[in-house]
Amino acid sequence: MTGDGRSGDEGSDARLAQLCARLADRAGPLATDPQLAAVSERVLDAVRSGQDAAAELDLLDDLLLRAGYVGGLGAYRTDGGPVFSVLPGASAGGHPVLEALVCPADRCPRVELPRGAREDPTVCAVWGRALRRDRIA
């Protein structure tokens, strides 16, 4: 990450997106394991203050793998294709998804499908704000 908190490393960006998604899981390992929760907080502190979080992300990924969470922060282990190409239902039946929820700070590639209008918004665990709706061209 650069001094402004933006990462130049796509792997770190993707791991941050995966961390954000995993922090939303209240029954997941980051909520139930004190060591993993502490490292997660250090990552968040580094990102929020604009510091390089790569070493803490590496540590968290390793700890998740050692604890038996096979994926670790595994969203970064993709073929490197466009993020939108992996959206479930993005081209199902020839009807593309028109909107997606994305990082409110444009700092990571996290993408979620919108839920029903009456449900609570999906919140970014890093920035504490709702994911932003974005049209997919």
Side-chain angles (χ1 to χ4, degrees):
M1 291 193 186
T2 62
D4 66 358
R6 293 187 184 271
S7 173
D9 176 1
E10 289 181 23
S12 291
D13 290 347
R15 292 187 301 172
L16 184 60
Q18 185 65 19
L19 172 61
C20 183
R22 287 188 182 236
L23 285 168
D25 182 1
R26 304 258 185 242
L30 301 180
T32 59
D33 182 303
Q35 181 182 18
L36 295 174
V39 176
S40 297
E41 282 302 315
R42 290 198 309 260
V43 169
L44 296 178
D45 289 344
V47 170
R48 289 173 183 151
S49 66
Q51 297 174 4
D52 184 354
E56 293 297 330
L57 282 166
D58 289 344
L59 175 60
L60 183 58
D61 193 21
D62 188 51
L63 290 172
L64 282 164
L65 292 169
R66 287 184 195 184
Y69 298 99
V70 179
L73 294 175
Y76 69 99
R77 294 186 184 121
T78 66
D79 63 359
V83 172
F84 293 121
S85 69
V86 299
L87 275 176
S91 60
H95 300 287
V97 175
L98 299 176
E99 289 186 328
L101 302 175
V102 298
C103 178
D106 291 325
R107 300 265 177 114
C108 77
R110 182 176 178 189
V111 177
E112 300 276 335
L113 292 175
R115 299 180 189 167
R118 297 179 192 195
E119 292 186 33
D120 290 336
T122 302
V123 175
C124 170
V126 177
W127 302 104
R129 299 188 322 238
L131 294 180
R132 177 177 52 78
R133 282 188 182 264
D134 196 14
R135 290 208 176 267
I136 300 172

